Amino acid sequence: MKRRLLMILLLALAALLQQVLPAWPLFGGMKPPILAAMVLYYALRRDNREMWIVVFVAAVLQDGLNLGSFGPALLAFPAIGIVANKVRNEVFADGLVSQLVFGAAAGLFTTFSALLIYGITGQRPVQFGESLMRLGGSFWLGMATLPLVSLSINKLEAALPKRKGYGWQ
């Protein structure tokens, strides 16, 4: 119960932090993909139920806080979660190289799906040079965000008090 409450609070904090952090002009106006990193963290370390809770809540928060219609994160986050959950037994979830690769892939895929959906629907103009800057920026920001989010959640969960013996235990 404590872990789920912490998970929901961390999702709210991640959405707030993602909105408050400034967009980086060097990276095409991208912000760090903190919610995508949360999806990856829970997909690599928890069971399917917790992963799907995080996927759904993070996607609704991501799409609700962005300008435009719902859709990019609702399509990208489940795909990211499913792929990461399928290969979690073959990779080291705490390994830095794994986190860098998964973070970069998640950043790229999330931004690509947003560019694709917004370009098809005509909600935002899609220019080639700006799109390449945004994809490159999401690659680097995703690579930097997942290890930081993973370390932070690990430290917070380790700080939770452990359950002492009750009853027949």
Side-chain angles (χ1 to χ4, degrees):
M1 184 66 181
K2 289 179 191 176
R3 286 179 123 177
R4 288 232 174 118
L5 182 61
L6 180 66
M7 177 178 62
I8 298 298
L9 290 173
L10 285 174
L11 279 168
L13 179 67
L16 178 68
L17 190 60
Q18 188 166 320
Q19 281 300 110
V20 170
L21 287 175
W24 294 30
L26 179 64
F27 295 135
M30 295 300 297
K31 291 184 176 189
I34 299 171
L35 288 170
M38 296 263 313
V39 168
L40 272 172
Y41 176 84
Y42 283 100
L44 289 172
R45 289 178 178 79
R46 300 286 184 263
D47 62 348
N48 284 337
R49 179 178 293 160
E50 288 186 4
M51 182 207 58
W52 282 111
I53 290 171
V54 171
V55 163
F56 180 71
V57 173
V60 168
L61 286 171
Q62 173 91 10
D63 282 341
L65 294 173
N66 282 341
L67 298 173
S69 65
F70 278 78
L74 287 171
L75 292 175
F77 285 2
I80 291 168
I82 289 170
V83 169
N85 200 0
K86 292 287 183 197
V87 300
R88 73 180 180 177
N89 292 329
E90 279 85 40
V91 298
F92 295 111
D94 289 326
L96 182 62
V97 174
S98 298
Q99 290 179 1
L100 294 175
V101 169
F102 275 107
L108 271 175
F109 188 69
T110 304
T111 303
F112 180 74
S113 66
L115 288 171
L116 186 68
I117 288 174
Y118 291 147
I120 289 173
T121 59
Q123 293 180 11
R124 294 183 188 169
V126 178
Q127 291 137 359
F128 183 73
E130 183 181 341
S131 297
L132 283 180
M133 278 188 64
R134 292 180 74 85
L135 287 170
S138 66
F139 176 85
W140 292 109
L141 287 173
M143 189 182 285
T145 303
L146 182 59
L148 295 174
V149 167
S150 180
L151 179 68
S152 301
I153 295 174
N154 281 338
K155 295 284 184 182
L156 283 171
E157 286 183 348
L160 284 177
K162 304 295 181 233
R163 183 176 175 186
K164 296 193 174 32
Y166 292 104
W168 296 97
Q169 298 176 357

